[in-house]
Amino acid sequence: MKLRAFVFALSAVVLAAVSPAKAADVICYNCPPEWADWASMVKAIKTDLNIEMPHDNKNSGQALAQIIAEKANPVGDIGYFGVTFGMKAKAQDALEPYKPAGWDQVDAGLKDPDGYWTTIHSGTLGFFVNKDALGNAPVPKCWADLLKPAYKGMVGYLDPSSAAVGYVGAVAVNLALGGSADNFEPGLKFFKELKKNDPIVPKQTSYARVVSGEMPILFDYDFNAYRAKYSEKGNFEFVIPCEGSVVFPYVVGLVKNAPDKDKAKKVLDYLLSDKGQAIWTNAYLRPARKIELPEAVKAKFLPDSEYARAKSVDWGKMELAQKGFTDRYLAEVR
């Protein structure tokens, strides 16, 4: 076998090993069953659309890398990403535009104007609080509260130089305190002050440490706090800070030259349908469309009046600002 042919054959074997078999109707990269209740979604797609779509355990970066690797001969039909990776996918010419049914009801800040990616649900950054671990301290209500001596050693946030949610938290703090994509001074000042209060700064997700009480307060998404509140033993609360916070979207896009494009479009339509949007609430994610939720579901979330303080952000600008913030954070805070 000639070397070139051997390399091509070997590449095909490697890709086959990491790609779902195309015996399915539609392939969605990064649709894991234990995240966002994709398990229920995949079952509903089979029941309501008669479309087979297997689970896939990639993360956003791995999904994008796979789509790019397969550009010449696409296997995947749909990509699911954190919003910044959806933007990267568009920039890498990995997606093609499609505006699913209901697209016009998604806020402008939560979708690509040409339809290359569309939010299907979102998380809101706030305080995930283990009330039993606070001792005599009250539940904090504002970013400024965390600087008080009462919370010394109690506050955790993921390292914004290495964790995505850490940077989302930094953006939330900075904007809430008067900063912008061009001015991270308020956020950096906050982290410098917080350092005096001995914060806990892990690099990886710390859900279990909050549940155990080791970390009483964590900058985290609402869906993790609600998950603890309704499924763990203990007394947990989610707080959207009084000064404000941000919404972080999770998006889907149609893979460029997807092999089963028509069926993929039906799936994308379903993800934004009333029924599809309601399924995400099983995992306490906020639907992208303003659908009417059953009262029993709605009651598990904070009131809409609280969520009014959480703003949509131009994550494209924030992504461009990330390196500058990270460099200063490492030099001035850590």
Side-chain angles (χ1 to χ4, degrees):
M1 182 184 289
K2 291 183 179 179
L3 179 60
R4 184 175 178 182
F6 174 76
V7 171
F8 179 81
L10 181 62
S11 298
V13 170
V14 171
L15 284 176
V18 294
S19 301
K22 195 52 185 176
D25 296 312
V26 171
I27 297 296
C28 176
Y29 284 153
N30 184 27
C31 297
E34 295 183 358
W35 170 262
D37 203 17
W38 274 106
S40 293
M41 181 61 76
V42 166
K43 288 178 184 176
I45 288 168
K46 171 60 177 174
T47 300
D48 294 342
L49 303 181
N50 195 28
I51 289 176
E52 292 277 1
M53 190 174 85
H55 298 124
D56 180 71
N57 284 310
K58 296 179 181 64
N59 61 30
S60 293
Q62 291 165 339
L64 177 56
Q66 191 72 42
I67 292 168
I68 291 171
E70 296 169 350
K71 260 188 179 183
N73 187 25
V75 175
D77 302 290
I78 293 169
Y80 168 72
F81 316 96
V83 64
T84 52
F85 278 93
M87 293 173 180
K88 289 177 199 243
K90 177 186 176 182
Q92 293 277 353
D93 195 30
L95 305 176
E96 61 181 73
Y98 177 66
K99 298 177 180 179
W103 185 90
D104 58 332
Q105 297 173 37
V106 177
D107 288 348
L110 299 178
K111 61 191 177 185
D112 177 75
D114 299 315
Y116 282 89
W117 52 263
T118 305
T119 298
I120 50 174
H121 51 230
S122 64
T124 295
L125 199 288
F127 306 153
F128 172 16
V129 181
N130 183 332
K131 294 169 71 174
D132 296 330
L134 287 178
N136 294 323
V139 174
K141 297 300 182 185
C142 305
W143 293 111
D145 289 343
L146 304 182
L147 305 178
K148 296 176 180 177
Y151 300 104
K152 191 175 183 70
M154 290 189 180
V155 180
Y157 66 90
L158 268 64
D159 185 344
S161 69
S162 61
V165 66
Y167 182 59
V168 174
V171 169
V173 170
N174 187 58
L175 294 181
L177 301 182
S180 68
D182 302 316
N183 175 23
F184 264 92
E185 292 297 336
L188 288 163
K189 180 180 178 183
F190 173 86
F191 284 111
K192 289 175 188 176
E193 290 297 314
L194 185 60
K195 188 174 183 180
K196 299 173 185 176
N197 234 7
D198 296 334
I200 307 163
V201 190
K203 291 184 180 294
Q204 296 179 337
T205 182
S206 297
Y207 176 88
R209 295 175 72 177
V210 180
V211 171
S212 71
E214 178 190 347
M215 190 183 297
I217 304 162
L218 176 66
F219 298 6
D220 204 356
Y221 295 123
D222 52 353
F223 51 83
N224 281 330
Y226 294 142
R227 173 186 165 198
K229 183 172 183 177
Y230 298 114
S231 65
E232 304 282 1
K233 292 181 180 179
N235 194 6
F236 304 96
E237 189 168 328
F238 177 65
V239 176
I240 299 175
C242 68
E243 302 96 335
S245 189
V246 298
V247 173
F248 188 77
Y250 293 87
V251 308
V252 287
L254 180 65
V255 173
K256 188 173 183 179
N257 300 319
D260 282 303
K261 192 174 300 186
D262 290 341
K263 288 180 181 178
K265 288 179 178 179
K266 289 180 181 178
V267 170
L268 293 171
D269 290 346
Y270 189 83
L271 300 182
L272 272 186
S273 69
D274 285 2
K275 185 171 182 179
Q277 289 283 280
I279 288 172
W280 304 127
T281 66
N282 294 343
Y284 311 109
L285 285 143
R286 300 274 292 179
R289 289 179 48 240
K290 295 176 175 65
I291 62 168
E292 191 61 37
L293 297 174
E295 286 303 317
V297 173
K298 201 172 182 179
K300 291 186 175 183
F301 290 85
L302 289 177
D304 289 343
S305 57
E306 293 287 306
Y307 275 96
R309 295 198 298 278
K311 306 301 183 184
S312 296
V313 172
D314 185 334
W315 286 105
K317 286 185 178 178
M318 291 304 170
E319 186 183 15
L320 292 174
Q322 185 168 4
K323 186 180 185 305
F325 165 77
T326 298
D327 289 347
R328 289 195 60 188
Y329 173 85
L330 291 172
E332 299 175 30
V333 179
R334 199 170 77 176

